[in-house]
């Protein structure tokens, strides 16, 4: 069975300095791969390359059999309307949601973008997604400034899940959250993985978190993968 | 002085107005409107603006005389029961001229600001969002228009195009759009890097949608404040142009033109200059207060529910 | 040395009064390092600000804060200015935004000295002395640089130098390890150990990082929803706490299995009767719903729970 995500010989330079050296790894369906590294090791860059936010300077990334990056360049397509299968969760809850949109609107937006839901189904779909992440309607009616960090990350999850991604890149999703909230959010992500067969690329500097949550951990040092361990 | 006056009003109204405001607040569903009404100075400014607009719209009915009716027997007249604000040097009724001038001033400034907003926001957003060559071209255009001394530019355009309301609006808009565009571009540059914008792009949204739903709403607060205050400035610019003789055609009463025409009579009959001057001041102050209030209202962090 | 008795802090908002701190009492001895552990929004940062009287003017404060026997809230503004920085100092969260980006580092450190009447040259000398003691290599070079040229760890040391310049008796550190990776956290522990050995100041450390509190503090108080629920030695709280909430926190640590607690902290406008942890407590009894548990002495510390 071929892997969901294949990354081969990813290289990246920033201002002439080499940040990633021949980074290669696979992620299987339904698996959580951890990416561990200190600040400055390049782990966020790896995530951004996988998700398509950065160009690379060599290497290839194949997702579901389709090349996202080949020969270091993104294939010449725009957003061709197809539902993107890779999504990302970011580190800072304060800037992860549009401050002027209520939680509900943020969650329903992906469905509106892809015309996947009629107007009458909107409310029900919002409730369904909110239930999935453990939030109630009272949270959906609030603005991000009225929500806690954990609640915001849940809304981000619901938003992403609405279009059914297969791979979620989570870049330090809980490092700005309190220890109890971190446990809640990570457990939630695990449960969603079991229900929906989603894979995660979990990027973190906290090795204990990765050991609890991941199936395998890749260790990144100064832009190179030095080893991959099973947990 | 007007602000002082407004503050006195608010203190005098005291508890009675608190009850009315509470009922008004619950009746209004929109939370921005709610917050606007909560601030006393905003409330009064909004009411005065509403009155002003009503007066301007009703001016043909409210004016006791035709504003252009010349009556040389009555020139430079003082305040009488027939002419509540006196007459000017041609015997025209000041009250009627001021009322009709309100329509002129408000509509011109609204037109100019709207034009500037549309052009400024669009170009600023495109420059900031796309960057690169497009940004370079637009930014240089902004620099060019900002560098020109605005009055001279407007004068030149009016001289070339000829006096008419439309040409006046176009000239002033040409002078004003650049500051909106520059402000917008700066806002867009910082907003477009926010993580929610990136995530919307990842979710497959088109550039147009991103600009419409995410970039513009989160960049626009300072622009709105600028626009509200600019309404007052445009009135002053129109007044200045009229003062210099290149404003509107003679048969349209306009406060600046009235100021200019009356300047020769400052010693003998000052009222015909003072009243238009007061009118301009009043309107500029109202817009100033509105602009201040708008900025506070539009800031989502002003909720107050998210402290500590 | 610092005594807080029955502190209540409320913030009035549009929807009611938010009770940020709801009856907190504790004391810090000379040379002791006292930690307050709690989630974001538990009110812990508010306590730090309350001690320094840095709360916004809308805050309503009740209770007593005694520093060296003197009531902080009866001091006049001159005494307060003297107290801040000289006797009690604050090391704020987030070194990146707590430093002025346009001032050279030397100025930022010597500012504190100048504020308290010491000349700039002498202040700079003392500043360099502190910086080298706090593991900042090459203080001379650091002084000539700007904050953006320093790494995160160095910014933190600089901030610590600023806080310690006047050898305050009490240093309040607000979330010093928020968002830091393990290596930086270890360096921060090193820094705080150095501070204790070189200066012997008492410290109030506000954090939600349990391991950091264990490594740096002598005693720790656990806060939940504005109230202190347990106070004990740092090691005891992190390895074998008594209060169910503290137990839940410890179990939620990754190395203990990432066991989450259900539910969330209650909203703070209308507090329910009885114990605030009732909804989420696995060991709850009927009495917990009706009565607020009193703080009792238990196993070397104090707990506020009906189980004991």
């Amino acid at each position: 069975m071929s892997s969901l995500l294949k990354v081969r010989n990813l290289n990246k330079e920033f201002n002439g300095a080499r940040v990633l050296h021949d980074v290669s790894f696979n992620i299987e369906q339904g698996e959580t791969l951890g990416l561990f590294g200190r600040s400055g090791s390049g782990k966020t860059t790896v995530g951004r390359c996988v998700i398509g936010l950065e160009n690379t300077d060599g290497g290839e990334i194949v997702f579901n059999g389709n090349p996202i990056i080949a020969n270091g360049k993104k294939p010449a397509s725009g957003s061709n309307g197809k539902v993107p299968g890779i999504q990302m969760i970011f580190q800072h809850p304060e800037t992860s949601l549009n401050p002027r949109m209520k939680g509900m609107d943020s969650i329903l937006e992906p469905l509106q973008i892809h015309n996947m839901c009629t107007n009458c189904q909107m409310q029900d779909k919002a409730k369904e997604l909110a239930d999935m992440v453990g939030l109630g309607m009272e949270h959906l009616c609030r603005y991000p400034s009225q929500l806690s960090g954990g609640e915001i990350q849940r809304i981000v999850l619901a938003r992403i899940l609405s279009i059914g991604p297969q791979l979620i890149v989570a870049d330090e999703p809980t490092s700005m959250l309190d220890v109890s909230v971190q446990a809640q959010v990570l457990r939630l992500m695990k449960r969603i993985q079991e229900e929906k067969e989603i894979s995660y690329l979990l990027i973190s500097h906290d090795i204990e978190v990765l050991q609890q949550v991941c199936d395998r951990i890749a260790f990144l040092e100064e832009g190179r993968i030095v080893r991959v361990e099973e947990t | 002085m007007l602000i002082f006056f407004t503050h006195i009003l608010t203190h005098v109204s005291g508890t009675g107005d608190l009850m009315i405001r509470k009922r008004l607040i619950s009746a209004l569903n929109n939370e921005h409107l709610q917050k606007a009404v909560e601030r006393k100075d905003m409330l009064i400014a909004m009411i005065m603006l509403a009155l002003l607009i009503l007066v301007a719209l009703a001016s043909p009915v409210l004016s006791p005389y035709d504003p252009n009716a010349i009556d040389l027997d009555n020139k430079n007249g003082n305040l009488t029961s027939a002419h509540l604000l006196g007459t000017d040097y041609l015997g025209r009724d000041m009250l009627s001229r001021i009322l009709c001038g309100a329509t002129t001033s408000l509509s011109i400034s609204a037109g100019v600001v709207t034009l500037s907003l549309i052009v400024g926001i669009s170009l600023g957003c495109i420059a900031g969002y796309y960057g690169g060559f497009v940004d370079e071209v637009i930014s240089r255009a902004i620099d060019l228009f900002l560098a020109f001394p605005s009055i001279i530019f407007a004068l030149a355009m009016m001289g070339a195009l000829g006096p008419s309301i439309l040409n006046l609006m176009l000239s002033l808009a040409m002078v004003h759009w650049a500051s909106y565009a520059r402000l917008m571009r700066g806002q867009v540059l910082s907003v477009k890097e926010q993580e929610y914008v990136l995530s919307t792009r990842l979710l497959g949204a088109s550039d147009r949608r991103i600009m419409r739903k995410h970039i513009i709403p989160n960049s626009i607060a300072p622009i709105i404040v600028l626009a509200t205050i600019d309404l007052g400035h445009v009135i002053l610019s129109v007044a200045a142009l009229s003062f210099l003789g290149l404003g509107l055609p003679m048969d349209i009463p306009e406060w600046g033109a009235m100021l200019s025409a009356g300047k020769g009579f400052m010693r003998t009959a000052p009222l015909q200059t003072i009243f238009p001057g007061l009118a301009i001041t009043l309107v500029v102050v109202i817009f100033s207060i509105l602009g201040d209030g708008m900025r506070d209202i539009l800031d989502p962090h002003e909720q107050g529910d998210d402290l500590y | 040395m610092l005594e807080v008795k029955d502190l209540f802090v409320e913030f009035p908002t549009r929807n009611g009064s938010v009770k940020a701190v709801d009856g907190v009492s504790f004391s810090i001895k000379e040379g002791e390092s006292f930690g307050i552990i709690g989630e974001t929004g538990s009110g812990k940062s508010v306590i730090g600000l309350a001690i320094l009287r840095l709360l916004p003017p809308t805050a309503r404060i009740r209770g007593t804060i005694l520093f060296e026997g003197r009531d902080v809230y009866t001091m006049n503004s001159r005494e307060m200015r003297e107290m801040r920085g000289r006797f009690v100092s604050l090391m704020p969260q987030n070194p990146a935004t707590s430093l002025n980006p346009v001032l050279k580092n030397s100025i930022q450190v010597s500012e504190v000295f100048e504020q308290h009447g010491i000349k700039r040259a002498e202040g700079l000398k003392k500043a360099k002395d502190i910086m080298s003691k706090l593991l900042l290599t090459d203080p001379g070079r650091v002084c000539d640089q700007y904050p953006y040229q320093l790494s995160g760890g160095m910014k933190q040391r600089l901030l610590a130098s600023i806080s310690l310049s006047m050898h305050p008796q009490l240093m309040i550190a607000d979330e010093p390890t928020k968002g830091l990776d393990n290596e930086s956290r270890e360096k921060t522990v090193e820094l705080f150990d150095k501070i204790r050995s070189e200066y012997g100041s008492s410290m109030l450390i506000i954090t939600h990082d349990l391991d950091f509190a264990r490594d740096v503090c002598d005693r720790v108080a656990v806060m939940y929803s504005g109230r202190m629920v347990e106070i004990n030695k740092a090691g005891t709280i992190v390895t074998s706490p008594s209060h169910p909430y503290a137990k839940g926190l410890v179990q939620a640590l990754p190395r203990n299995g990432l066991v989450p607690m259900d539910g969330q902290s209650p909203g703070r406008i209308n507090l329910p009767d009885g114990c605030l942890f009732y909804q989420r407590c696995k060991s709850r009894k009927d009495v917990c719903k009706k009565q607020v548990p009193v703080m009792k002495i238990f196993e070397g510390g104090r707990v506020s729970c009906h189980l004991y």
Side-chain angles (χ1 to χ4, degrees), chain B residues 30 41 54 67 92 110 129 150 185 241 249:
Chain B
N30 186 324
D41 52 358
L54 279 172
R92 297 177 288 197
Y129 187 76
S150 47
R185 176 180 173 275
L241 284 177

Side-chain angles (χ1 to χ4, degrees), chain B residues 135-157:
Chain B
D135 185 13
E136 284 292 320
V137 167
I138 297 182
S139 294
R140 297 294 80 77
I142 294 177
D143 290 339
L144 192 71
F145 277 86
L146 281 178
F148 259 89
S150 47
I151 289 288
I152 298 185
F153 193 70
L155 276 177
M157 289 213 54

Side-chain angles (χ1 to χ4, degrees), chain A residues 38-39 139 151 154 175-180 182-184 186-187 205-209 212-213, chain C residues 39-40 178-183 208 249 252-255 257-264 280:
Chain A
R38 296 176 349 208
S39 316
H139 295 111
E151 287 162 350
R154 287 171 197 263
S175 68
M176 299 299 277
L177 301 178
D178 301 323
V179 66
S180 51
Q182 170 176 271
Q184 286 178 327
L186 289 174
R187 284 283 160 222
H205 57 68
D206 190 337
I207 189 69
E208 289 175 348
V209 162
Q212 274 292 324
V213 176
Chain C
E39 294 173 0
T40 311
K178 186 153 195 171
L180 292 185
D181 64 8
N182 286 338
E183 200 181 300
H208 67 82
L249 273 185
L253 285 173
R255 62 169 179 273
L258 268 187
V259 180
M261 288 184 273
D262 295 322
Q264 281 147 0
R280 309 167 72 184

Side-chain angles (χ1 to χ4, degrees), chain C residues 93-109:
Chain C
Q93 230 179 92
N94 201 341
T97 54
S98 303
L99 291 167
N100 188 332
V102 301
L103 289 180
K104 271 207 187 138
N105 297 334
S106 52
I107 301 183
Q108 310 214 32
V109 184

Side-chain angles (χ1 to χ4, degrees), chain B residues 114-171:
Chain B
T114 311
L115 270 175
S116 308
L117 272 178
I118 296 177
V119 175
I121 291 182
S122 318
L123 289 181
C125 189
I126 293 175
Y129 187 76
Y130 289 109
F133 181 66
V134 170
D135 185 13
E136 284 292 320
V137 167
I138 297 182
S139 294
R140 297 294 80 77
I142 294 177
D143 290 339
L144 192 71
F145 277 86
L146 281 178
F148 259 89
S150 47
I151 289 288
I152 298 185
F153 193 70
L155 276 177
M157 289 213 54
M158 286 299 291
L161 297 173
S164 84
I165 289 204
L166 188 61
N167 291 338
L168 183 60
M169 285 208 254
L170 281 176
S171 319

Side-chain angles (χ1 to χ4, degrees), chain B residues 269-297:
Chain B
L271 289 176
Q272 56 190 292
T273 315
I274 291 182
F275 284 128
L278 279 181
I280 295 179
T281 311
L282 173 66
V283 172
V284 172
V285 167
I286 292 179
F287 283 130
S288 218
I289 297 181
L290 281 174
D292 269 348
M294 289 294 271
R295 195 200 59 80
D296 291 342
I297 290 172

